[in-house]
Amino acid sequence: MIFTADIEDWQQSVYDFDRDVSSRVVRNTSRLLDILDSHNITGTFFVQGMVAEKFPRLIKAIASAGHELACHSHSHRMIYNLTEAQFRAEMQRSVGLLEDISGEKVIGFRAPTFSVRDDILDWYCDALRERGIIYDSSIMLATVRSCYGFTDDSILQRIAERGLDCYPMSVSRVFGKNLPVMGGGYFRIYPYWLSRWLARDLNHTTSIFYMHPYELDTHEYREVSQQVTIPLKMAVHQFARRGSIKPKLDKLLQDYPFHSFREHYYPDKVETMAGNVSQ
């Protein structure tokens, strides 16, 4: 499978876009790096620009550990809430930061909260290509929330026609509907046996797993809620069963082979491009 992690700070990326990025993202991501190292696994890290801007040493640590650096926008605002000009500016800033810090060419992108919609698709794809992006991993072929999801897989052909490779998130067909699996809140909430069962028909080489390092942080709710008011619905949705992630993740990393997008799809191409980035 393709192992991916979205590197962001929960307080800024989910609770309040106007908050500063906290140092928790360093602790949480460092913990994930240690877990992956213990299993001898490398993956793709979709890094938010604001994180790279504040903690460049973390970005260097990710790259030094052999993981692929990819882009996760700059501010983590929904793409469909940005104008075309704002999105292009975010891409220029975030991709530029990652490349300057790491010396590696960034070729992958994932939209915050998979926030791609039909009406922005043309300029969205054009903006990615203009920044040297080759592939996108932002499409969920299941309608599970109002902010993201597609029921028609023709979206993949439309993205291909705009010149991008597209790797949709993993879904399992259950009772005639697509159910998200192998990622984020779904992996956190589902018992591990259910995730394994839902993944039974997935391609174990090319299917995608995704997570956020903050999902390993079992102390965040108690500490942050002393400073701000977190609505009950958000608290349940965002913090339930965080304590289950570490043991389930260890089992997952033992049960399946994992690699990055770069390792699986673009090893030669990326090596050539890396020399074009100024050190």
Side-chain angles (χ1 to χ4, degrees):
M1 289 190 182
I2 310 294
F3 184 95
T4 70
D6 295 353
I7 310 305
E8 60 197 64
D9 175 51
W10 182 86
Q11 298 172 57
Q12 185 279 326
S13 66
V14 179
Y15 181 77
D16 182 357
F17 295 138
D18 293 323
R19 286 176 70 92
D20 193 17
V21 172
S22 81
S23 61
R24 301 189 86 96
V25 69
V26 177
R27 296 196 299 272
N28 295 334
T29 304
S30 297
R31 186 180 180 194
L32 177 59
L33 288 172
D34 289 342
I35 292 171
L36 293 176
D37 181 63
S38 70
H39 290 275
N40 196 30
I41 285 172
T42 53
T44 298
F45 281 49
F46 291 94
V47 182
Q48 182 188 347
M50 288 178 66
V51 174
E53 194 169 57
K54 187 170 183 181
F55 300 110
R57 289 185 180 180
L58 177 63
I59 310 312
K60 291 181 179 179
I62 294 170
S64 295
H67 302 286
E68 176 190 7
L69 290 172
C71 182
H72 195 43
S73 83
H74 188 78
S75 67
H76 205 269
R77 286 177 166 83
M78 303 293 191
I79 304 300
Y80 54 71
N81 285 335
L82 300 176
T83 65
E84 180 178 352
Q86 287 172 329
F87 180 60
R88 290 178 185 276
E90 286 221 355
M91 287 300 300
Q92 180 175 2
R93 189 174 182 183
S94 55
V95 171
L97 277 167
L98 292 173
E99 293 182 342
D100 289 345
I101 292 169
S102 69
E104 295 182 0
K105 184 72 183 72
V106 171
I107 62 168
F109 182 80
R110 175 171 291 157
T113 321
F114 312 125
S115 53
V116 180
R117 288 183 174 173
D118 283 308
D119 58 332
I120 68 170
L121 190 66
D122 289 352
W123 59 252
Y124 168 80
C125 292
D126 291 347
L128 295 186
R129 291 180 61 244
E130 287 173 9
R131 295 309 308 170
I133 298 299
I134 294 175
Y135 74 86
D136 178 82
S137 182
S138 307
I139 301 302
M140 178 73 75
L141 294 175
T143 302
V144 291
R145 295 177 61 186
S146 60
C147 58
Y148 67 80
F150 292 87
T151 57
D152 185 354
D153 63 6
S154 65
I155 187 70
L156 306 182
Q157 179 60 34
R158 290 180 58 198
I159 291 173
E161 290 171 353
R162 304 299 297 188
L164 289 171
D165 296 336
C166 182
Y167 305 107
M169 309 310 295
S170 299
V171 295
S172 178
R173 196 72 174 170
V174 179
F175 300 123
K177 294 185 178 181
N178 286 345
L179 187 67
V181 64
M182 286 296 169
Y186 313 108
F187 184 73
R188 174 165 47 89
I189 298 300
Y190 297 164
Y192 185 71
W193 66 263
L194 179 58
S195 292
R196 284 270 300 180
W197 182 81
L198 289 171
R200 68 197 185 284
D201 295 327
L202 295 181
N203 184 314
H204 291 174
T205 300
T206 59
S207 295
I208 299 170
F209 174 82
Y210 78 97
M211 66 170 295
H212 308 85
Y214 63 67
E215 292 174 294
L216 292 163
D217 191 342
T218 57
H219 301 290
E220 185 163 36
Y221 176 72
R222 182 176 66 251
E223 295 174 9
V224 175
S225 63
Q226 293 174 357
Q227 307 166 11
V228 299
T229 300
I230 302 176
L232 178 60
K233 183 177 180 180
M234 175 180 282
V236 172
H237 182 265
Q238 294 291 321
F239 296 98
R241 294 183 56 76
R242 281 195 182 187
S244 73
I245 285 290
K246 173 58 167 61
K248 287 193 290 191
L249 184 59
D250 281 326
K251 290 181 181 179
L252 182 83
L253 298 177
Q254 293 169 0
D255 289 346
Y256 300 94
F258 281 98
H259 37 264
S260 68
F261 280 112
R262 180 179 64 191
E263 289 173 313
H264 187 70
Y265 293 107
Y266 309 103
D268 298 332
K269 187 177 294 186
V270 172
E271 184 178 353
T272 300
M273 289 181 172
N276 294 329
V277 180
S278 60
Q279 302 297 316

